[in-house]
Amino acid sequence: MNSFCIFHSQCLIALLIIGGCAEHSPQIERPLFVYKELQDSVERFVSEIAPIDNPYGFPTLTLVSFDLIQGDTLIFIRPGLTPYVSERDSVLGANMLGGRICEVAISKTIQINHFSDVIDESALMIPQCYYNPLFITSTENYEKSECDYQTVLSLARISRVYVMCRPNHLRLIAKDGVSIH
């Protein structure tokens, strides 16, 4: 009987090790934002914005960045074809939202602990190597310095900017480059 228990214990340990090493799909959707009004606003944005045509066939990303400007917390939501430039912002991570990769970044001037009640960092679990064109395409098909001017212009026009007045108000202040009064 004792050897029977040891055998089953070893099998259980082996299964746990195998399960822990198995590749987990990065396609798990869960709320990225604790702040429900923000989660709903980003989901609405994703559902309204069609994928961006581009010569490389890159998937459209949703980019959400937080900045502190003159004491106000501003949230910028826009589509993109490549991740944030990490020299400008601190990229916290990404996950799926509305069927698209959603990457979350904050300005380097902001400390993340101020946003623990807004951003669920544990949900940001897809590494950039899954969606960054520099990692997933050959340099023959994509050059980092190459820039499609029309694509950049179309991306600049499609955006939402919110000012956040916590704990229960998110106010849209600009849509597609136009201020809202």
Side-chain angles (χ1 to χ4, degrees):
M1 184 74 170
N2 192 16
S3 63
F4 181 76
C5 290
I6 292 171
F7 173 75
H8 282 288
S9 297
Q10 289 173 340
C11 287
L12 180 61
I13 291 169
L15 285 173
L16 289 173
I17 291 171
I18 291 169
C21 295
E23 187 173 317
H24 298 283
S25 170
Q27 304 296 317
I28 299 168
E29 280 201 34
R30 61 186 259 205
L32 303 180
F33 305 101
V34 178
Y35 195 46
K36 184 173 174 11
E37 194 172 4
L38 177 59
Q39 179 75 22
D40 293 346
S41 297
V42 177
E43 286 178 0
R44 191 173 329 108
F45 177 80
V46 171
S47 70
E48 292 173 359
I49 304 302
I52 297 166
D53 289 331
N54 63 88
Y56 308 108
F58 294 158
T60 301
L61 309 174
T62 300
L63 307 171
V64 179
S65 65
F66 293 79
D67 206 346
L68 194 60
I69 300 174
Q70 297 179 352
D72 289 326
T73 302
L74 297 183
I75 304 164
F76 300 87
I77 307 170
R78 65 180 180 85
L81 299 174
T82 58
Y84 280 106
V85 180
S86 56
E87 296 89 45
R88 187 185 74 215
D89 292 324
S90 296
V91 176
L92 299 180
N95 206 337
M96 298 300 292
L97 193 146
R100 288 194 187 146
I101 293 283
C102 180
E103 185 174 64
V104 179
I106 61 170
S107 169
K108 288 191 174 190
T109 61
I110 298 175
Q111 293 183 4
I112 184 58
N113 59 358
H114 293 128
F115 288 92
S116 61
D117 61 337
V118 177
I119 302 168
D120 180 3
E121 279 190 271
S122 68
L124 301 172
M125 49 191 201
I126 300 178
Q128 267 195 6
C129 63
Y130 282 103
Y131 61 92
N132 189 336
L134 293 175
F135 295 120
I136 59 177
T137 60
S138 68
T139 54
E140 298 167 2
N141 298 332
Y142 174 70
E143 291 290 331
K144 185 176 181 182
S145 60
E146 225 172 81
C147 184
D148 180 352
Y149 186 67
Q150 293 303 317
T151 301
V152 170
L153 280 180
S154 69
L155 290 176
R157 290 189 189 117
I158 304 169
S159 65
R160 304 292 184 271
V161 181
Y162 291 89
V163 64
M164 184 168 57
C165 305
R166 290 183 275 178
N168 58 7
H169 185 66
L170 194 67
R171 185 169 49 98
L172 182 66
I173 59 171
K175 181 177 179 179
D176 300 333
V178 178
S179 293
I180 295 175
H181 301 285

